[in-house]
Amino acid sequence: SIQEIRYANLDGYALNSGLSASLSLGTTSGFKASVGATAIDNALVGPGNVREVPMLTERFQGVWDLSYQRKKLQLSYSGNLIGPMNLPLLGPGDPRSSRSPWFSVQNASARWSFIRFGLGLHGYNLLGARPSADRIARAHDPFDRLVAFAPDGTPLASPENPFALVFDPTSVYASFQGRRMGISVTWALD
């Protein structure tokens, strides 16, 4: 089978514009907050001024970081919100969705500090946001050993591969790491 990667210059130009806003607040009682949002307009402009939104480009992104510190205790909660984006597919027969859903990755932690000792509890990706398992096409066959190919190098449909797909990780839009928890212990030496 023949498989190629071809590189070429863009026939046209890329356009990137947007608007971003952020707000930060801090109080004398130990509370701090920072929030931000970005609206993005990305486009590839080709011949005839035809606009196309690039793959894996969200149009909205929001972030936040909230924290509270009082004497020996520090609490924090942070996260992001990512809007839908176009996802690459292997062709018209690819059964995967061509758009990602909205998703958010949120983290929290609590830390206690003593004279030389610190203890922390941490939660990562609390909502368990991750792409569906089918985002990596044929993840069980990364070298396409079970794919039948036509003489011209195109994959053929088979009972084991009904959509004539090859291994393809390009349609992944977020981390596959789900919810995680952690404990940290620190000890300061003089």
mmCIF file of all heavy atoms in Angstrom, residues 3-11 170:
data_model
loop_
_atom_site.group_PDB
_atom_site.id
_atom_site.type_symbol
_atom_site.label_atom_id
_atom_site.label_comp_id
_atom_site.label_asym_id
_atom_site.label_seq_id
_atom_site.Cartn_x
_atom_site.Cartn_y
_atom_site.Cartn_z
ATOM 1 N N GLN A 3 1.122 5.105 1.101
ATOM 2 C CA GLN A 3 0.569 6.154 1.936
ATOM 3 C C GLN A 3 1.537 7.320 1.912
ATOM 4 O O GLN A 3 2.740 7.136 2.054
ATOM 5 C CB GLN A 3 0.357 5.660 3.355
ATOM 6 C CG GLN A 3 -0.698 4.583 3.437
ATOM 7 C CD GLN A 3 -0.989 4.204 4.879
ATOM 8 O OE1 GLN A 3 -0.610 4.887 5.804
ATOM 9 N NE2 GLN A 3 -1.685 3.094 5.055
ATOM 10 N N GLU A 4 0.994 8.511 1.709
ATOM 11 C CA GLU A 4 1.838 9.685 1.574
ATOM 12 C C GLU A 4 1.348 10.803 2.471
ATOM 13 O O GLU A 4 0.170 10.867 2.803
ATOM 14 C CB GLU A 4 1.799 10.206 0.127
ATOM 15 C CG GLU A 4 2.291 9.238 -0.901
ATOM 16 C CD GLU A 4 2.131 9.795 -2.314
ATOM 17 O OE1 GLU A 4 1.409 10.804 -2.492
ATOM 18 O OE2 GLU A 4 2.725 9.227 -3.230
ATOM 19 N N ILE A 5 2.268 11.649 2.825
ATOM 20 C CA ILE A 5 1.936 12.914 3.464
ATOM 21 C C ILE A 5 2.465 13.985 2.514
ATOM 22 O O ILE A 5 3.652 14.013 2.201
ATOM 23 C CB ILE A 5 2.596 13.050 4.848
ATOM 24 C CG1 ILE A 5 2.079 11.964 5.791
ATOM 25 C CG2 ILE A 5 2.344 14.437 5.414
ATOM 26 C CD1 ILE A 5 2.761 11.954 7.142
ATOM 27 N N ARG A 6 1.580 14.855 2.067
ATOM 28 C CA ARG A 6 1.973 15.908 1.138
ATOM 29 C C ARG A 6 1.822 17.260 1.817
ATOM 30 O O ARG A 6 0.814 17.535 2.461
ATOM 31 C CB ARG A 6 1.108 15.867 -0.117
ATOM 32 C CG ARG A 6 1.306 14.602 -0.913
ATOM 33 C CD ARG A 6 0.500 14.643 -2.166
ATOM 34 N NE ARG A 6 0.630 13.370 -2.870
ATOM 35 C CZ ARG A 6 0.278 13.191 -4.107
ATOM 36 N NH1 ARG A 6 -0.242 14.190 -4.794
ATOM 37 N NH2 ARG A 6 0.434 12.018 -4.670
ATOM 38 N N TYR A 7 2.795 18.108 1.629
ATOM 39 C CA TYR A 7 2.777 19.450 2.169
ATOM 40 C C TYR A 7 2.708 20.430 1.008
ATOM 41 O O TYR A 7 3.341 20.236 -0.029
ATOM 42 C CB TYR A 7 4.051 19.736 2.976
ATOM 43 C CG TYR A 7 4.183 18.858 4.187
ATOM 44 C CD1 TYR A 7 4.892 17.654 4.138
ATOM 45 C CD2 TYR A 7 3.587 19.216 5.383
ATOM 46 C CE1 TYR A 7 5.012 16.844 5.254
ATOM 47 C CE2 TYR A 7 3.692 18.412 6.504
ATOM 48 C CZ TYR A 7 4.405 17.241 6.434
ATOM 49 O OH TYR A 7 4.512 16.451 7.538
ATOM 50 N N ALA A 8 1.928 21.501 1.181
ATOM 51 C CA ALA A 8 1.826 22.535 0.150
ATOM 52 C C ALA A 8 1.526 23.868 0.826
ATOM 53 O O ALA A 8 0.963 23.909 1.923
ATOM 54 C CB ALA A 8 0.719 22.201 -0.848
ATOM 55 N N ASN A 9 1.908 24.940 0.156
ATOM 56 C CA ASN A 9 1.577 26.259 0.669
ATOM 57 C C ASN A 9 0.088 26.518 0.507
ATOM 58 O O ASN A 9 -0.570 25.947 -0.359
ATOM 59 C CB ASN A 9 2.372 27.339 -0.075
ATOM 60 C CG ASN A 9 3.834 27.317 0.315
ATOM 61 O OD1 ASN A 9 4.185 26.925 1.418
ATOM 62 N ND2 ASN A 9 4.688 27.722 -0.603
ATOM 63 N N LEU A 10 -0.437 27.402 1.315
ATOM 64 C CA LEU A 10 -1.834 27.777 1.283
ATOM 65 C C LEU A 10 -2.126 28.571 0.015
ATOM 66 O O LEU A 10 -1.385 29.489 -0.336
ATOM 67 C CB LEU A 10 -2.143 28.627 2.526
ATOM 68 C CG LEU A 10 -3.554 29.099 2.751
ATOM 69 C CD1 LEU A 10 -4.469 27.902 2.961
ATOM 70 C CD2 LEU A 10 -3.598 30.007 3.966
ATOM 71 N N ASP A 11 -3.182 28.197 -0.701
ATOM 72 C CA ASP A 11 -3.591 28.934 -1.897
ATOM 73 C C ASP A 11 -4.582 30.010 -1.447
ATOM 74 O O ASP A 11 -5.786 29.827 -1.494
ATOM 75 C CB ASP A 11 -4.232 27.996 -2.915
ATOM 76 C CG ASP A 11 -4.494 28.682 -4.246
ATOM 77 O OD1 ASP A 11 -3.972 29.793 -4.461
ATOM 78 O OD2 ASP A 11 -5.239 28.110 -5.057
ATOM 79 N N THR A 170 -5.836 12.181 14.232
ATOM 80 C CA THR A 170 -5.905 13.626 13.996
ATOM 81 C C THR A 170 -7.206 14.258 14.449
ATOM 82 O O THR A 170 -7.303 15.478 14.527
ATOM 83 C CB THR A 170 -5.707 13.961 12.508
ATOM 84 O OG1 THR A 170 -6.773 13.363 11.747
ATOM 85 C CG2 THR A 170 -4.370 13.457 12.004
#
